[in-house]
Amino acid sequence: MSSHRKRTVLVAGGSGFIGSHLCDRFLKEGYRILCLDNLQTGRTDNTAHLVNEPDFQFIQADIAEPIRINQKIDYVLNFASPASPVDFDPLSIEIMRAGAWGTYHLLELALRQNAVFMQASTSEVYGDPLVSPQPESYWGNVNPIGRRSVYDEAKRYAEALTMAFRRKYGIETRILRIFNTYGPRMRPDDGRAIPNFINQALKGDDITIHGDGSQTRSLCYVDDEVEGVYRLLMSNETEPVNIGNPDTEVTILKLAETIVRIAGSKSRLTFIENPHSDDPKRRCPDIARARKLLGWEPRVSLQEGLRHTVDYFSKLMRSTTEKPN
């Protein structure tokens, strides 16, 4: 590779929540960015601040279709898939096509380009775990025909396909297992706990908690997640690696109370039936491998991260309200 050519990173799903933050990070590190997104759940607002950057290029395309790019690419990152529970029914087929055909097409692209390939997988591959915290060696407890399975099994398939390409063709691969991540640029209609609670708290509406709120999530601020992604990509590690924050495991009830307090809201907490029968009761990563192999540790506390996120949603709500008709 010529020392004069900037290395190029293709971020599939680059207009999404985490993908857009990755575009920021790689531009800061001096890379060229190809941001590929079909904008089904990604938003151009997430990368609007980058459109005049000479090393940033947006490509609207669907990874479920064959991908032809006539540029040299050094890294292919697959962060493209609807990922919110509200998407699991209306976008069920699209999610599975992204996980299956999408991953295949991106792996084919990486193979042709002799590029490093990273598959963004998820803690959902562990299902409703019988082990906590969840190490990478845990094979999971997944309902293969439940409503969540379209996402869970698509990601499990994508991991298997990634390893198959590595074993058969020898391409360089990385597998990242993302645990619950939050921060600015989350979709306002994401449907997950943090955006729901923040929107309700800022509007003064009742906070709706599924079940009794005893289920837990471990929440990793997006800046910490991006740092873990970057370090994993630049490593030589080929086995899956958890990137999440075990120190922030919190019940959904406590999370709601914390957001109400940070938002300065008078919202009341209400409880409704949980519509997801196989919703994980506990979610907490074992990050021993990330600590050992990558020297990575999450740095941002839950209080600090939630303050940044509430501020983002507050500004977004004000800008939407102030727009002229």
Side-chain angles (χ1 to χ4, degrees), residues 15 19 42 64 72 104 121 147 157 178 211 227 243 245 276 307 324:
S15 291
K72 174 58 184 168
Y104 175 80
S121 188
R147 280 188 163 151
Y157 175 86
I178 300 172
E227 179 65 27
I243 299 293
N245 191 340
H276 306 291
R307 280 197 300 271

Side-chain angles (χ1 to χ4, degrees), residues 74-286:
D74 301 283
Y75 301 94
V76 175
L77 280 61
N78 184 12
F79 281 74
S81 175
S84 299
V86 293
D87 299 326
F88 292 169
D89 281 343
L91 299 180
S92 57
I93 305 303
E94 290 85 348
I95 289 170
M96 299 209 77
R97 290 185 77 234
W101 283 113
T103 304
Y104 175 80
H105 291 142
L106 290 173
L107 279 162
E108 283 274 292
L109 177 64
L111 179 61
R112 292 195 304 270
Q113 292 271 2
N114 193 29
V116 178
F117 176 83
M118 171 177 276
Q119 172 60 36
S121 188
T122 171
S123 60
E124 298 298 327
V125 300
Y126 300 122
D128 187 5
L130 304 177
V131 172
S132 193
Q134 293 90 57
E136 293 87 349
S137 58
Y138 178 54
W139 290 357
N141 178 39
V142 175
N143 175 2
I145 59 170
R147 280 188 163 151
R148 301 179 70 94
S149 67
V150 295
Y151 185 66
D152 301 356
E153 298 291 11
K155 290 296 188 179
R156 287 162 71 95
Y157 175 86
E159 286 195 16
L161 188 61
T162 298
M163 292 303 293
F165 262 74
R166 176 174 180 80
R167 291 174 181 133
K168 184 168 184 176
Y169 300 115
I171 70 171
E172 282 197 63
T173 60
R174 314 281 185 265
I175 297 176
L176 161 77
R177 288 181 181 161
I178 300 172
F179 280 68
N180 294 82
T181 304
Y182 71 101
R185 302 183 199 161
M186 293 186 85
R187 283 166 53 195
D189 60 348
D190 182 86
R192 283 178 275 198
I194 287 180
N196 279 356
F197 292 169
I198 292 177
N199 283 327
Q200 290 167 338
L202 291 175
K203 293 176 182 177
D205 296 341
D206 287 352
I207 306 293
T208 52
I209 297 171
H210 291 163
D212 62 3
S214 63
Q215 63 271 40
T216 73
R217 296 294 181 267
S218 298
L219 303 167
C220 187
Y221 189 63
V222 66
D223 289 358
D224 284 334
E225 191 71 35
V226 166
E227 179 65 27
V229 172
Y230 184 82
R231 292 193 185 199
L232 177 57
L233 184 66
M234 297 304 156
S235 76
N236 295 316
E237 183 54 41
T238 61
E239 297 292 320
V241 177
N242 291 336
I243 299 293
N245 191 340
D247 297 330
T248 61
E249 185 179 14
V250 62
T251 66
I252 294 298
L253 176 59
K254 181 67 175 177
L255 175 64
E257 293 170 342
T258 303
I259 287 174
V260 168
R261 184 175 69 253
I262 290 173
S265 175
K266 295 181 180 179
S267 293
R268 299 178 306 165
L269 305 186
T270 60
F271 299 85
I272 62 175
E273 184 178 353
N274 193 337
H276 306 291
S277 60
D278 47 2
D279 191 36
K281 298 175 186 65
R282 291 197 70 184
R283 180 67 79 225
C284 184
D286 182 332

